Amino acid sequence: MKLITANFLTCAVKGCKASPASFPLHFRDAELELQELDFQPDFIRNIVPRIDWHALQIMANELGFPKILDKKPEGDELKDEQILKELHRLLLETHINEGKLTCGNCGHEYLIKEGIANFLLPSHLV
Amino acid sequence: MLPTPCTSHVSFDTIYEPSEDSYLFLDTLASPSESAWLTQRFNATSSSPNQSTASPLVVELGTGSGVVLGFVAANSQVIFGRRDILPLGIDVNRNACIATRETANKAIKERQTDNESEANCQKTVYLSSVMADLGSSLRPGSVDVLMFNPPYVPSEDLPRLPSVTEQDVDESGMSRSAKFERDSYFLSLTYAGGRDGMETTDRLLEEIPGLLAPGRGVAYVLFCAQNRPQEVKERIRAWGDGWQAATVGNSGQQAGWEKLVIVRIWKETA
Ligand SMILES: C[S@@+](CC[C@H](N)C(=O)[O-])C[C@H]1O[C@@H](n2cnc3c(N)ncnc32)[C@H](O)[C@@H]1O
Ligand SMILES: [Zn+2]
């Protein structure tokens, strides 16, 4: 699963949706793989507005990536190849193949296997 | 006609084989009227920059083989007028999730070649497949385009959802009858819709207002005649607040009724 996917995922437990602690989910025991992909700067520029920057900082940090910008890039920063390339690598080239995503609100763990995150819930949580 | 994605790598033991309903989805989204509507809505060069230059998140629920999402991803230029869409696939069936990832990546590779003469040499990037019940794992308000070809056949019982761990077992150790039972169960999830064939679709309809992105979100849902789509559309309009429902594709006739229809659901902002 590409790292950017986690930007769109939250805890599947109904009661967690309203809690700010349910996003971002937290990666644990993540096995990463880098899969090279053509660098498309225009593409990254259009993805940036969709990214929750604070959440991305947390995820990058938990996965052991070098510190990313403090603030979402804007203006001239969006013309900076280096910044865009780093984002390209982080968001699109980084895959999580095995590991867990855990909810900061209820503590539930979602397993990732072969790059597929499993958000099905045990019956007592549905 | 745009080519149908190749699904030769997919085993249809537990996965829905592309059928009339799947093809109706492809034809509807690629029809001149619908792709014009979508292109206008998601045009990257539109006048309200912040709103529509952002890449649209395109989610299919119940991807099965991935034929629909693969098609949409591979033909993003025709359908949305841009290639930087973010396709995400969801199914309760792990095999379907894996199959969809491959179908989408293959279809993109096949259709979006490094052709110098092409005006747009960008390539769409398939995000991921996720196992989940409908939109339960998605952030509220994040989905720009939602697609669902549901289990819509009326059935006495609605099959239960898979448990969290039952798809982790290795099938090589399974007896013939255990495998048969497992396969039949997963296939029943692809078509059996419970009362009026609407039990799963009704749950999805309830999720729609919470899932769609304010301002530009739109959903496409397939219905068969027994689902009584006319009544469903009335119900959606009765949500008020500008909610709209329109039939944008249909196929076949049954006793004077269209057998299958695709309904577009969106909110008209004043
Ligand atoms: C009619 S098939 C459509 C498959 C594919 N999209 C196509 O058009 O060929 C319905 C799909 O929905 C999936 N499904 C059933 N219930 C679901 C649920 N609650 N959440 C997510 N997917 C579900 C099934 O596993 C199946 O893949
Ligand atoms: Zn939670």
Side-chain angles (χ1 to χ4, degrees), chain A residues 29-74:
Chain A
D29 311 325
E31 226 172 77
L32 304 184
E33 186 193 353
L34 215 64
Q35 288 181 20
E36 263 184 50
L37 200 72
D38 292 345
F39 172 55
Q40 310 184 102
D42 287 341
F43 208 111
I44 302 294
R45 270 190 278 272
N46 284 345
I47 289 178
V48 165
R50 301 238 37 171
I51 301 297
D52 184 309
W53 201 256
H54 181 62
L56 184 65
Q57 283 178 314
I58 297 176
M59 291 188 278
N61 182 38
E62 287 173 349
L63 293 172
F65 277 85
K67 208 164 163 350
I68 62 166
L69 293 179
D70 282 339
K71 241 171 54 339
K72 192 186 270 208
E74 47 182 63

Side-chain angles (χ1 to χ4, degrees), chain A residues 4 11 29 50 52 55 73 87 90 94 96 116 121:
Chain A
I4 185 179
C11 184
D29 311 325
R50 301 238 37 171
D52 184 309
L87 279 173
L90 186 62
T94 305
I96 296 88
I116 311 279
L121 290 172

Side-chain angles (χ1 to χ4, degrees), chain B:
Chain B
M1 208 174 66
L2 301 170
T4 304
C6 163
T7 49
S8 61
H9 54 280
V10 181
S11 150
F12 298 114
D13 290 359
T14 67
I15 298 175
Y16 190 75
E17 186 163 358
S19 309
E20 191 185 355
D21 45 5
S22 327
Y23 300 128
L24 177 60
F25 238 106
L26 309 192
D27 291 342
T28 300
L29 294 171
S31 71
S33 53
E34 211 48 34
S35 49
W37 192 86
L38 285 166
T39 298
Q40 215 236 328
R41 197 170 182 90
F42 294 103
N43 192 336
T45 55
S46 147
S47 49
S48 56
N50 277 337
Q51 187 53 14
S52 25
T53 54
S55 301
L57 179 67
V58 177
V59 176
E60 186 187 6
L61 303 177
T63 55
S65 64
V67 68
V68 176
L69 192 56
F71 179 85
V72 167
N75 298 293
S76 49
Q77 184 68 46
V78 178
I79 297 172
F80 299 103
R82 61 193 293 169
R83 289 221 169 132
D84 60 342
I85 64 160
L86 301 169
L88 177 68
I90 292 180
D91 205 295
V92 286
N93 178 342
R94 168 182 288 279
N95 295 339
C97 287
I98 293 172
T100 295
R101 182 168 59 188
E102 188 168 350
T103 304
N105 283 327
K106 262 192 177 171
I108 291 168
K109 206 163 166 197
E110 189 135 307
R111 286 284 296 165
Q112 304 182 3
T113 46
D114 292 301
N115 189 339
E116 299 284 320
S117 67
E118 247 177 296
N120 186 348
C121 55
Q122 285 191 341
K123 289 195 186 72
T124 302
V125 178
Y126 181 69
L127 289 198
S128 303
S129 300
V130 171
M131 281 164 83
D133 173 29
L134 302 175
S136 60
S137 66
L138 297 168
R139 285 187 77 195
S142 64
V143 181
D144 294 297
V145 182
L146 188 72
M147 304 178 288
F148 192 32
N149 176 8
Y152 55 78
V153 179
S155 59
E156 205 148 302
D157 299 302
L158 186 73
R160 63 176 176 84
L161 287 176
S163 75
V164 189
T165 51
E166 71 182 285
Q167 298 180 68
D168 297 343
V169 292
D170 180 9
E171 73 168 59
S172 56
M174 237 181 232
S175 73
R176 212 173 287 273
S177 66
K179 178 169 160 22
F180 176 78
E181 207 168 292
R182 196 255 336 233
D183 291 356
S184 320
Y185 164 61
F186 277 101
L187 288 178
S188 75
L189 278 168
T190 71
Y191 61 81
R195 194 172 31 80
D196 295 334
M198 281 296 288
E199 290 190 43
T200 301
T201 306
D202 272 337
R203 282 202 300 124
L204 178 271
L205 292 175
E206 256 180 58
E207 288 184 2
I208 283 182
L211 284 174
L212 293 188
R216 63 174 193 175
V218 53
Y220 292 90
V221 182
L222 183 138
F223 297 88
C224 72
Q226 292 98 313
N227 300 154
R228 297 202 285 269
Q230 297 306 328
E231 288 174 32
V232 177
K233 284 195 289 184
E234 285 306 322
R235 246 166 60 207
I236 292 166
R237 292 183 194 118
W239 292 350
D241 225 18
W243 283 99
Q244 306 286 320
T247 301
V248 291
N250 66 75
S251 79
Q253 294 274 320
Q254 198 175 36
W257 291 88
E258 283 130 3
K259 219 167 83 192
L260 299 172
V261 299
I262 291 185
V263 172
R264 184 217 287 155
I265 302 165
W266 77 108
K267 195 169 162 174
E268 219 46 278
T269 42

Side-chain angles (χ1 to χ4, degrees), chain A residues 11-13 16 22 103-108 110:
Chain A
C11 184
V13 176
C16 282
S22 66
C103 172
N105 192 52
C106 71
H108 193 70
Y110 300 96

